[in-house]
Amino acid sequence: MTYRTAMALLAAVLLTLPLRAAAADTAGSAAAGEEVDVKAIVLEHLSDSYWWHIGTFGGRDVSIYLPVIVRSSAGGWHCFSSRHLADGASWEGFSIAADGEYEGKVVETLPDGSTVRPFDLSVTKTVAALLLNSVILLLVILVPAGWYRRHRDDVRAHPKGFTAFMEMAIEGLQDDLIKPCVGENWKRFSPYLLTVFFFILVCNLMSLIPFFPGGVNVTGNIAVTFVLALASFLVINIFGGRAYWKDIFWPDVPAWLKVPVPFMPVIEFIGIFTKPFALMIRLFANMVGGHAAILCLVCVVFVTAGMGAVMNASMTVVSVLFTIFMNCVEVLVAFLQAYVFTMLSGVFIGLAQEGKTEKKVEN
């Protein structure tokens, strides 16, 4: 067996793991003759939780219970393991709402029987995955940086392996993406744009790993994409030049479009916020849509379980093939979304830098 054949078989096995993971969650319902709730399966995967489910082994669910940190309406802080809230249990007056406005969130039961949402700083599954991805990002950046620090004075040394790969990737991003988009001030914004690219890429790739510590769709959380878009919004507007602000509040258009009713200034001002909003929604929607499509394809196997052996067998083959195909597409999308977010951020930063010159530094 050649190396390429072995790698192809390994890739096929890994790409079908989401089917096996979903099978573990839905096989019980299918075996019992119950109707498979596709919507609930998809929403459960995309939603956040206070514990990280690893898998089911020997009929026993194995999860990592994360810390719950909440502030009571009476003013006191409470910190305890989410294990105390599993299976609908209550602890120190707190529980997880099963339905209603706060479904899936920690709520506090008051003496009069009403429930309120406490101030919640808990470490949820998304937060834990976000911290893990941040550690991976630090390793990805600091390992090559450490090599260059150790060989700073050795002109004959050449990086190999992972360090050489990172050097090629960073130089490619700077030459083909950051320089053309930002312009002559590209060095000032290169660290930020590179950080954004590799952070999104790490999060996207980790979300495609169907077993612990992967499988959490961090960039499919609107709060995460909001913070990323907010960071680009601040960089664009804080470091924008005079020409950028002039084009917003006094653009070069006929005077009747600016006074007495400032049509164009209002439109340009709204554009300040629509740019980062588009960044936020594009990344969020693409990552959520890809994961939802894969899960729906997986569920086809169990939805057709009661339609006869021939129908179920044929649809299982179709489901597996399309799941492998969609996973391959999602690997490409993981890179493309990181690239597009970085590219658009660079374009917006470059537009804000028009007319603003700095002392050039030789490469």
Side-chain angles (χ1 to χ4, degrees):
M1 181 181 294
T2 64
Y3 174 77
R4 291 184 179 180
T5 304
M7 293 304 296
L9 292 174
L10 177 60
V13 172
L14 292 177
L15 290 172
T16 55
L17 281 174
L19 181 61
R20 300 179 185 179
D25 295 332
T26 56
S29 298
E34 300 176 3
E35 183 178 355
V36 178
D37 191 345
V38 177
K39 179 180 178 181
I41 294 173
V42 173
L43 292 179
E44 181 182 1
H45 172 77
L46 299 177
S47 62
D48 203 359
S49 66
Y50 292 90
W51 46 80
W52 194 333
H53 181 68
I54 298 177
T56 303
F57 305 96
R60 179 183 178 184
D61 289 333
V62 178
S63 302
I64 296 178
Y65 293 95
L66 303 168
V68 176
I69 307 171
V70 291
R71 180 178 173 84
S72 171
S73 57
W77 285 94
H78 299 260
C79 181
F80 52 89
S81 171
S82 59
R83 179 187 294 272
H84 298 297
L85 303 181
D87 300 323
S90 177
W91 182 264
E92 298 180 354
F94 299 96
S95 60
I96 297 179
D99 51 25
E101 180 182 1
Y102 305 123
E103 182 179 0
K105 303 296 182 181
V106 171
V107 294
E108 180 183 7
T109 303
L110 301 179
D112 60 1
S114 61
T115 58
V116 296
R117 183 87 167 93
F119 185 67
D120 194 350
L121 292 178
S122 302
V123 178
T124 61
K125 180 175 67 173
T126 300
V127 175
L130 183 62
L131 295 174
L132 176 62
N133 295 343
S134 299
V135 172
I136 295 175
L137 176 63
L138 287 175
L139 294 176
V140 166
I141 300 300
L142 293 180
V143 168
W147 185 93
Y148 281 103
R149 188 178 297 109
R150 293 191 302 270
H151 299 83
R152 182 181 304 171
D153 302 323
D154 188 356
V155 295
R156 295 177 298 177
H158 298 283
K160 297 180 181 179
F162 180 73
T163 302
F165 172 79
M166 287 300 298
E167 179 184 26
M168 177 188 66
I170 291 173
E171 288 183 352
L173 289 170
Q174 287 181 336
D175 294 338
D176 300 331
L177 177 63
I178 298 176
K179 288 181 182 179
C181 291
V182 178
E184 64 179 10
N185 298 329
W186 67 273
K187 283 190 175 181
R188 187 177 187 182
F189 302 99
S190 181
Y192 167 71
L193 293 174
L194 288 172
T195 302
V196 167
F197 174 83
F198 284 109
F199 174 76
I200 296 176
L201 182 61
V202 168
C203 290
N204 290 349
L205 293 178
M206 287 295 291
S207 70
L208 296 177
I209 300 176
F211 47 83
F212 182 83
V216 181
N217 192 10
V218 173
T219 46
N221 188 302
I222 193 68
V224 175
T225 59
F226 169 78
V227 173
L228 290 170
L230 178 62
S232 292
F233 170 80
L234 294 176
V235 172
I236 293 167
N237 293 284
I238 290 177
F239 298 100
R242 293 182 180 179
Y244 168 73
W245 291 107
K246 176 186 175 297
D247 289 340
I248 292 174
F249 293 106
W250 197 256
D252 293 330
V253 295
W256 62 272
L257 291 175
K258 297 181 284 188
V259 292
V261 181
F263 287 110
M264 289 305 298
V266 169
I267 293 174
E268 293 291 340
F269 183 75
I270 294 174
I272 295 176
F273 302 96
T274 56
K275 293 185 182 79
F277 180 79
L279 292 176
M280 174 184 71
I281 295 300
R282 178 182 286 105
L283 178 59
F284 166 74
N286 277 281
M287 298 314 299
V288 169
H291 281 248
I294 291 174
L295 287 171
C296 289
L297 288 171
V298 170
C299 290
V300 169
V301 177
F302 307 101
V303 171
T304 59
M307 298 182 181
V310 175
M311 175 63 73
N312 183 238
S314 60
M315 293 307 298
T316 297
V317 173
V318 173
S319 175
V320 170
L321 293 177
F322 273 96
T323 300
I324 295 174
F325 172 75
M326 283 301 300
N327 272 276
C328 294
V329 171
E330 281 299 295
V331 172
L332 177 62
V333 169
F335 172 81
L336 285 179
Q337 288 306 311
Y339 189 91
V340 169
F341 191 101
T342 307
M343 180 187 67
L344 293 178
S345 295
V347 168
F348 297 149
I349 292 172
L351 292 174
Q353 296 294 303
E354 287 186 357
K356 186 176 181 181
T357 60
E358 292 185 356
K359 185 179 179 180
K360 294 184 179 181
V361 179
E362 294 295 332
N363 294 336

